[in-house]
Amino acid sequence: MTYDEHTKVHPVTTGDSLPEVRPEITSTSQVMSGAEILLRSLEAEGVKIMFGHPGGAVIKVYDEMHRINPEFQHILVRHEQGGTHAAEGYAKATGKVGTVLVTSGPGATNTVTGIADAYMDSVPIVVFTGQVPTGLIGNDAFQECDAVGITRSITKHSYLVRDIKDLARTVKEAYHIARTGRPGPVLVDLPKDVLLAEAPFQYPETVNMRGYAVPEAVRPEKLQRAARMIAESKRPLLYVGGGAVSSDASDSLTELARYTGIPVTTTLHGLGAFPEEDPLSLRMLGMHGTWWANQAVQHCDLIIAVGARFDDRVTGKLDSWAPHAKVIHIEIDQSCISKNVFADCAILGNVKTVLERLRPLLDPKDTTEWLQQIDVWRQECPLQYQKDDKLRAQGVIEKLRDKTGGDAVVITDVGQHQMWSAQYFRFLYSRTHITSGGLGTMGFGMPAAMGAAFGMREIGSSRPVVCISGDGGFVMNAQEMSVAAAHKLPIKLAVINNRFLGMVRQWQELFHMERYSHTDLSDTNPDFVKLAEAHHCVGLRANTPEEARQIIDEAWEVTDRPVLMEFSVAKEEMVFPMVPAGAATGEMITDRMTPNSFV
Amino acid sequence: MTDTLILTPQQIIRKKAAGEPIQPDDSEMIQSHTIVVLVENSIGAFIRVINMFSARGFNIDSVTVGVTEDPTVSRMNIVTTGNSRIISQVLRQLSRLVDTIEVIDLTDTDYVERELCLLKVCYNRDSRSEILDVNEIFRGKVVDITSRTMTFELRGPSKKIEAFIDMMASHKILEVARSGRVAMQRDS
Ligand SMILES: Cc1ncc(C[n+]2csc(CCOP(=O)(O)OP(=O)(O)O)c2C)c(N)n1
Ligand SMILES: [Mg+2]
């Protein structure tokens, strides 16, 4: 097989084993409980905030927290799932690692959705779960569950700490693994006896994991090959994913695109990595991407994939995707390369580093003709919706865009409103669009927005945090509203109330003969204004475009707590254009004026 | 092999459409691969490797594990089948695990492989000598005998073990226990 210097795959080996190297230990040691070692380790790691919920297995940690008052903030969430999404929102908004602490059993299982979400979207979080004492593990003890086992396939790595001596090193490694390479969630399971035991505390300065290597050096011959391919191409296209955001490559990408004149399309997670108001931006591609971005994919002769993984929501039917294109794939995770789409030139490495090293090898290209062709497609089928006196979700999103000028962190939930946000918000900056893409977790938005708001407060940013949710998903984690209220976070919560599980309704309308099985929420939706008020937030409601404008203005006046804005919108609205699941990207449904005319 | 030969289905379809020749390596040629994985000597590391195979839908034909000359390292020998694209995915996914120290695909190298097999077969006066003849040819060992059954021990490459079992199949086999393949590169 291929020999790649970054991988551990070798066609030939000598039997030499590597000597075991243990990290060096710093500072003088002081005897303390495992619980305190955990807290001191987090301090040493530079953790500023933790989202948690106490219980029997971690009571000692909470006790020590009370006693020593560590240098970081603990936020008591009202559901552990909310805690994990908050940690994700924090991590995505700031680029730092999010931290979660929960108890054993149900505390641990409640984090599973958030961990899976972080795994799919490569979000760096560390989840500490309590565990029954080591002596009871396997006995079906009270609140025992095999947290490591349950989460094995949805974590980048996980640990069960059996010995207090390993605790500090494990914390160090967990943060290192979560943060580096392709980021992801790490779970650390902490048996109660380990937290109660006492040992000297020494936080290691370095990590030394012989099995864990992060690609560092970029192979120059690959860069030259890529540069050649770019020089030879007539219709190149940059296809940019979440990797460009997580490696903070936005500036390098923008410079490269503008210098060479290569147009840019982004995935859902790539939104914001390249300013969508730049003439080179084709906006989002894929299932609900723009007509012109998808046409560009189908006609380009070179795809430069930047931190993207050729997800099925992007490619649709693989064998007819980008039929004329050669592929350059810039990616940190070797397992993404040639997984779905063959890479003619794969460059393994940190996306930002690769782009910075590639740029000097490139010359400006004359892409005028190619851009003109794209403009034709742009005119052919613009993003549009019916503008009348009815309040429509797309209009709400445009109003939010107008209010903020694009300078806001927008968190969305999952459904139609998520796609409309992606289509109509026109993102300008990296890390200003946060959503659940890979797992598509309803209930992600509200707690993630809370985490992002804590993050913005921590880094001293005044960027407003706007959460756009559906009426279905919002209630799934609405409980965190009171937490956000208690911390006076001025989050703007927009609930797009179409009284339907809108996205499912759309599929039912399009593909299931309008059989709206169990998607009508009108009987079970709460009164959102009262819901907000019950959680110590401000609640506002709008039924018309004019009211919408008014309540947005009103909401921006509130600075000491979250404001929920309920927008009562038309239920029939659909997200267009659309490539039906499994269809070829060329086969887009674009009809939007007569949404009910085709079945 | 270079990575340009590892083709996705989409690439194959494109090549076909363009009328380009498709190498046997490109297409769905399924081949058995012997992969050595050195992992941290912990049960968690072992499970992660196995779990990766099941979570991603890869085959495992056999797997063995045991500690190496370094007591902190376990060596897993995994036999899996797939086309070159799948195998390259297997190798990449294996390398990506935090606890894997080294991943070596022995398939296209010069290596020795051995497997151990215990086989219990019924015999009677008519079949006894024929069974023993087969054993003789394969250089197996009789490790247990009763008035009704004989148990053989056979060592060798997996192919030999399979041939032995095939030959014995005409008699009444009661039990077969195979160790799975262990393999090692020849010193060059
Ligand atoms: C936890 C979870 N359950 C179910 C789904 C499937 N699903 C995807 S979108 C959707 C509808 C969401 O409805 P709503 O929150 O009202 O948003 P809308 O589509 O109406 O904007 C559902 C049920 C999901 N993504 N996540
Ligand atoms: Mg809805």
Side-chain angles (χ1 to χ4, degrees):
Chain A
M1 299 309 304
T2 319
Y3 174 75
D4 199 319
E5 73 210 33
H6 302 303
T7 70
K8 294 173 230 169
V9 180
H10 299 277
V12 186
T13 182
T14 60
D16 290 355
S17 67
L18 295 159
E20 191 178 59
V21 192
R22 284 292 168 207
E24 285 181 15
I25 303 291
T26 57
S27 78
T28 49
S29 49
Q30 193 190 329
V31 173
M32 53 179 79
S33 70
E36 187 177 350
I37 290 180
L38 172 66
L39 299 175
R40 295 296 182 204
S41 299
L42 297 178
E43 282 180 336
E45 198 51 50
V47 170
K48 293 278 176 287
I49 192 166
M50 160 197 266
F51 301 92
H53 199 290
V58 289
I59 198 163
K60 180 70 176 170
V61 182
Y62 280 86
D63 197 42
E64 294 285 40
M65 217 183 278
H66 193 264
R67 187 176 68 81
I68 68 173
N69 194 20
E71 282 167 26
F72 53 84
Q73 206 182 357
H74 175 275
I75 306 299
L76 173 61
V77 291
R78 301 307 300 270
H79 189 298
E80 290 89 346
Q81 184 189 354
T84 49
H85 294 324
E88 288 185 273
Y90 170 83
K92 286 202 158 201
T94 62
K96 298 179 174 187
V97 181
T99 305
V100 181
L101 169 65
V102 300
T103 193
S104 65
T109 55
N110 274 349
T111 64
V112 168
T113 304
I115 294 174
D117 193 88
Y119 186 67
M120 292 291 277
D121 285 348
S122 313
V123 189
I125 61 170
V126 177
V127 178
F128 295 96
T129 51
Q131 182 55 278
V132 300
T134 41
L136 288 181
I137 290 176
N139 280 346
D140 299 326
F142 178 62
Q143 292 195 329
E144 176 181 357
C145 84
D146 176 11
V148 165
I150 288 170
T151 59
R152 191 168 282 121
S153 52
I154 51 169
T155 47
K156 187 172 171 189
H157 197 54
S158 53
Y159 294 89
L160 169 62
V161 183
R162 286 179 171 277
D163 189 330
I164 190 170
K165 288 203 293 291
D166 299 330
L167 182 52
R169 177 179 55 84
T170 304
V171 174
K172 180 86 187 172
E173 289 182 4
Y175 279 84
H176 179 72
I177 293 170
R179 184 192 300 124
T180 54
R182 179 176 176 180
V186 178
L187 181 134
V188 181
D189 205 18
L190 302 164
K192 188 166 182 177
D193 54 330
V194 172
L195 296 171
L196 292 171
E198 297 205 333
F201 170 58
Q202 300 152 310
Y203 199 63
E205 250 171 21
T206 52
V207 285
N208 214 319
M209 284 173 284
R210 53 186 167 183
Y212 182 71
V214 177
E216 294 285 353
V218 179
R219 291 158 71 173
E221 71 276 15
K222 294 262 185 175
L223 290 169
Q224 269 145 18
R225 174 132 183 254
R228 229 174 12 251
M229 286 169 73
I230 293 171
E232 281 161 12
S233 75
K234 298 233 154 20
R235 300 182 306 280
L237 179 64
L238 280 152
Y239 149 56
V240 175
V245 174
S246 63
S247 69
D248 289 313
S250 180
D251 291 348
S252 327
L253 168 74
T254 308
E255 198 209 323
L256 185 145
R258 286 182 181 156
Y259 180 74
T260 54
I262 301 175
V264 181
T265 180
T266 66
T267 67
L268 184 63
H269 281 317
L271 288 172
F274 187 75
E276 289 199 278
E277 288 188 338
D278 192 293
L280 288 172
S281 169
L282 310 187
R283 323 279 303 272
M284 185 170 77
L285 82 169
M287 180 178 273
H288 289 299
T290 62
W291 167 258
W292 58 95
N294 283 332
Q295 285 302 309
V297 167
Q298 293 310 85
H299 292 88
C300 67
D301 64 359
L302 177 67
I303 286 203
I304 309 159
V306 180
R309 63 185 173 91
F310 301 87
D311 171 77
D312 57 278
R313 284 292 184 266
V314 162
T315 63
K317 203 159 134 199
L318 264 181
D319 47 19
S320 53
W321 193 71
H324 314 293
K326 288 211 166 97
V327 173
I328 298 172
H329 195 176
I330 302 170
E331 172 60 52
I332 187 118
D333 179 0
Q334 47 172 314
S335 73
C336 286
I337 287 170
S338 296
K339 181 170 73 179
N340 297 335
V341 168
F342 172 76
D344 300 271
C345 173
I347 310 178
L348 196 62
N350 176 285
V351 166
K352 184 181 163 80
T353 316
V354 173
L355 291 178
E356 276 168 2
R357 297 206 35 204
L358 184 59
R359 158 62 191 80
L361 307 180
L362 303 178
D363 294 316
K365 289 182 71 68
D366 181 11
T367 49
T368 326
E369 218 174 294
W370 174 222
L371 295 176
Q372 274 165 359
Q373 171 61 61
I374 291 171
D375 269 337
V376 172
W377 291 319
R378 213 189 286 260
Q379 310 303 328
E380 231 167 63
C381 183
L383 280 176
Q384 58 184 1
Y385 62 97
Q386 203 172 335
K387 286 180 181 141
D388 50 18
D389 55 355
K390 274 195 181 165
L391 184 57
R392 293 176 200 277
Q394 301 96 316
V396 172
I397 285 148
E398 287 193 326
K399 286 184 181 65
L400 291 168
R401 175 62 163 80
D402 291 345
K403 184 73 190 174
T404 58
D407 194 10
V409 182
V410 175
I411 295 91
T412 81
D413 213 84
V414 172
Q416 289 183 311
H417 64 277
Q418 175 188 34
M419 292 300 123
W420 286 318
S421 303
Q423 291 180 335
Y424 288 92
F425 197 84
R426 305 195 312 281
F427 292 90
L428 298 179
Y429 314 106
S430 199
R431 299 194 183 278
T432 60
H433 177 251
I434 297 173
T435 195
S436 168
L439 198 66
T441 309
M442 282 171 73
F444 169 87
M446 198 290 106
M450 176 174 81
F454 277 116
M456 298 321 275
R457 179 180 278 178
E458 181 188 311
I459 61 178
S461 165
S462 57
R463 243 178 212 166
V465 174
V466 182
C467 175
I468 303 173
S469 303
D471 48 327
F474 187 81
V475 294
M476 285 195 177
N477 273 313
Q479 76 283 346
E480 305 306 336
M481 259 194 295
S482 56
V483 180
H487 291 276
K488 301 191 174 11
L489 296 173
I491 313 172
K492 316 299 173 209
L493 302 165
V495 176
I496 309 294
N497 186 359
N498 51 10
R499 293 166 305 281
F500 257 95
L501 296 169
M503 187 55 96
V504 184
R505 184 196 178 282
Q506 172 162 347
W507 286 45
Q508 288 172 333
E509 178 170 341
L510 290 175
F511 313 118
H512 296 273
M513 309 287 282
E514 301 182 37
R515 290 185 295 268
Y516 300 121
S517 178
H518 296 275
T519 46
D520 187 339
L521 301 177
S522 30
D523 294 338
T524 53
N525 265 347
D527 178 327
F528 284 98
V529 171
K530 284 189 186 156
L531 184 73
E533 286 165 0
H535 288 83
H536 321 297
C537 300
V538 177
L540 304 167
R541 179 177 293 129
N543 296 304
T544 64
E546 191 38 45
E547 284 172 15
R549 210 182 329 271
Q550 279 166 14
I551 68 164
I552 290 172
D553 285 341
E554 234 175 287
W556 255 257
E557 295 302 312
V558 181
T559 54
D560 63 344
R561 73 190 81 179
V563 186
L564 185 154
M565 299 164 280
E566 179 194 348
F567 297 99
S568 184
V569 300
K571 66 172 192 289
E572 302 84 7
E573 204 65 22
M574 289 212 265
V575 185
F576 290 120
M578 176 182 194
V579 182
T585 297
E587 302 161 16
M588 287 194 98
I589 304 176
T590 57
D591 192 342
R592 45 219 320 289
M593 291 307 182
T594 52
N596 293 314
S597 69
F598 49 87
V599 176
Chain B
M1 257 183 281
T2 70
D3 57 359
T4 44
L5 278 179
I6 304 159
L7 296 195
T8 61
Q10 152 246 15
Q11 190 75 6
I12 293 162
I13 288 164
R14 258 188 227 169
K15 273 200 161 190
K16 276 186 192 158
E20 288 173 28
I22 294 166
Q23 314 294 321
D25 275 356
D26 300 349
S27 63
E28 283 76 34
M29 202 178 81
I30 310 276
Q31 203 192 336
S32 170
H33 281 250
T34 304
I35 299 169
V36 169
V37 189
L38 299 180
V39 297
E40 297 289 342
N41 185 11
S42 75
I43 189 158
F46 170 77
I47 295 173
R48 268 191 180 268
V49 169
I50 301 298
N51 193 70
M52 189 283 290
F53 275 83
S54 84
R56 297 199 178 262
F58 300 133
N59 293 317
I60 295 187
D61 298 327
S62 88
V63 57
T64 66
V65 63
V67 70
T68 62
E69 68 285 358
D70 175 349
T72 68
V73 178
S74 282
R75 181 183 180 106
M76 298 176 69
N77 300 275
I78 299 174
V79 182
T80 180
T81 41
N83 63 24
S84 55
R85 187 181 72 89
I86 289 172
I87 297 298
S88 88
Q89 262 298 305
V90 167
L91 297 176
R92 288 186 165 128
Q93 293 289 354
L94 282 171
S95 311
R96 185 172 178 247
L97 299 175
V98 172
D99 278 339
T100 57
I101 299 163
E102 203 172 349
V103 180
I104 311 145
D105 185 3
L106 293 180
T107 313
D108 294 333
T109 70
D110 186 15
Y111 68 99
V112 279
E113 56 147 311
R114 285 294 177 272
E115 195 176 340
L116 179 70
C117 170
L118 295 174
L119 181 144
K120 190 185 287 168
V121 64
C122 280
Y123 72 94
N124 53 36
R125 200 172 302 138
D126 300 339
S127 63
R128 185 174 177 274
S129 64
E130 194 190 323
I131 290 174
L132 286 172
D133 279 353
V134 172
N135 179 55
E136 182 74 0
I137 293 164
F138 281 88
R139 298 184 203 287
K141 255 201 267 180
V142 180
V143 289
D144 188 36
I145 186 156
T146 67
S147 59
R148 201 172 58 89
T149 67
M150 279 189 271
T151 303
F152 297 100
E153 174 198 309
L154 185 75
R155 268 175 302 156
S158 305
K159 286 234 163 65
K160 176 175 162 187
I161 309 265
E162 271 144 32
F164 179 66
I165 295 170
D166 278 352
M167 290 302 291
M168 286 295 186
S170 54
H171 308 285
K172 195 171 174 222
I173 296 177
L174 290 178
E175 246 181 302
V176 174
R178 294 175 63 170
S179 66
R181 187 183 300 174
V182 292
M184 192 173 280
Q185 185 121 28
R186 284 181 206 277
D187 203 11
S188 48

